[in-house]
């Protein structure tokens, strides 16, 4: 699937700037970088497919407590404010095991295309390729 690699993909999580202002602070995750930002919301008892991408790496920022995330073979529970780096070609999955939806902000670096999803497991019986 190398046809999806048309933009630079960082090998490691990009630096996050912490900026102070008189009114408070903010974190800057992608300063003038080519990226795609998505807000994912997973319903209670549901999960994304176990998937990977050749054309992008992803930084996930957990918005709600109770996110269960698999990266590679490691599965961990994450809480609000946690950050997860997912390199290109790494298998990953987001799950919600609680009784409230879980939101995660995804900052994708590289070439975001739905067709660049390689599925390994999928609860909804979708094809191996993105749809």
């Amino acid at each position: 699937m190398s046809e999806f690699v048309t933009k630079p993909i960082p090998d490691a999580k990009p630096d996050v700037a912490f900026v102070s202002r008189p009114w408070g602070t903010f974190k800057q995750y992608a300063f003038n970088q080519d990226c795609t930002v998505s807000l994912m919301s997973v319903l209670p008892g549901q999960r994304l497919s176990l998937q990977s991408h050749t054309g992008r790496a992803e930084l996930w920022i957990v918005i709600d407590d109770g996110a269960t995330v698999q990266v590679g073979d490691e599965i961990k529970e994450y809480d609000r404010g946690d950050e997860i780096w997912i390199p290109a070609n790494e298998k990953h999955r987001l799950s919600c095991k609680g009784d409230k939806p879980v939101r995660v902000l995804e900052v994708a670096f590289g070439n975001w295309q739905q067709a660049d999803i390689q599925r390994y497991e999928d609860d909804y019986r979708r094809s191996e390729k993105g749809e």
Side-chain angles (χ1 to χ4, degrees), residues 37-127:
V37 179
S38 304
L39 179 62
M40 300 184 290
S41 183
V42 181
L43 297 171
Q46 301 299 307
R47 63 185 184 172
L48 280 62
S49 59
L50 180 62
Q51 58 187 260
S52 67
H53 316 285
T54 59
R56 67 183 185 261
E58 298 172 346
L59 172 62
W60 287 1
I61 303 144
V62 179
I63 305 297
D64 302 304
D65 292 340
T68 302
V69 176
Q70 177 178 349
V71 178
D73 293 327
E74 184 177 22
I75 299 173
K76 291 175 60 176
E77 299 289 325
Y78 289 92
D79 292 317
R80 180 179 33 159
D82 289 338
E83 299 172 6
I84 305 123
W85 177 248
I86 303 166
N89 299 305
E90 185 71 70
K91 291 180 183 179
H92 59 281
R93 180 193 314 243
L94 170 63
S95 303
C96 177
K97 294 182 179 176
D99 58 357
K100 296 179 185 174
V102 168
R103 293 172 300 158
V104 170
L105 188 69
E106 174 189 271
V107 183
F109 298 90
N111 194 13
W112 199 106
Q113 294 187 35
Q114 189 68 24
D116 184 31
I117 295 175
Q118 173 65 50
R119 289 194 180 91
Y120 304 95
E121 297 175 14
D122 185 68
D123 297 343
Y124 312 103
R125 298 186 179 110
R126 293 173 291 176
S127 68

Side-chain angles (χ1 to χ4, degrees), residues 1-9 54-56 111 113 116:
M1 263 196 251
S2 62
E3 68 268 16
F4 294 109
V5 183
T6 59
K7 297 179 183 178
I9 302 171
T54 59
R56 67 183 185 261
N111 194 13
Q113 294 187 35
D116 184 31

